[in-house]
Amino acid sequence: MTLGRLDHTGYVRPQGAYIPRSYAQVESVRVAPLVGRQSLLGGCTIVFTGSLETMTRDEAKAQAEGLGAKVASSVSRKTDLVVAGPGAGSKLKTASELGIQVMTEDEWLEMVAG
């Protein structure tokens, strides 16, 4: 799963790519070329829940913030993405009830690796 990529013409969204709910109505997004991948998740609110198996919660938070996301400790209507590890409980349930995108830690790592 990839969020998209940047090339010399701007942002290119692959067919079927994850787009945060706040951008779901946008058909094409044009951005200036970026240094690195900092704004891929800019403006998104992410919640990590359950046990993370390949990184600490602090590492996950730093990674998300480095990509421009805000990391929250609870799920709300303002949440764009929940990354759920083993043992995820009420936060996962709330995300499902609110229709928020949920992915595993492996899917998260794949997405941010591009």
Side-chain angles (χ1 to χ4, degrees):
M1 173 187 297
T2 61
L3 182 60
R5 63 181 171 78
L6 293 174
D7 67 12
H8 67 282
T9 63
Y11 177 77
V12 179
R13 178 177 62 152
Q15 188 172 16
Y18 165 74
I19 300 295
R21 279 186 304 139
S22 56
Y23 303 126
Q25 301 300 321
V26 178
E27 286 299 315
S28 80
V29 178
R30 302 288 294 174
V31 296
L34 300 173
V35 175
R37 302 171 52 81
Q38 184 172 5
S39 75
L40 282 178
L41 296 171
C44 291
T45 299
I46 300 174
V47 173
F48 292 92
T49 186
S51 298
L52 300 178
E53 297 178 323
T54 63
M55 60 186 146
T56 67
R57 196 160 304 274
D58 285 341
E59 290 170 333
K61 181 178 180 181
Q63 183 180 52
E65 289 174 344
L67 293 168
K70 175 185 171 190
V71 178
S73 59
S74 61
V75 176
S76 72
R77 294 189 191 285
K78 294 180 181 180
T79 304
D80 295 295
L81 174 65
V82 171
V83 179
S90 62
K91 291 177 188 177
L92 179 58
K93 180 181 177 189
T94 301
S96 296
E97 290 169 354
L98 294 174
I100 294 168
Q101 172 79 28
V102 176
M103 65 175 51
T104 66
E105 181 181 358
D106 288 341
E107 291 170 327
W108 163 259
L109 292 171
E110 185 179 331
M111 182 181 78
V112 299

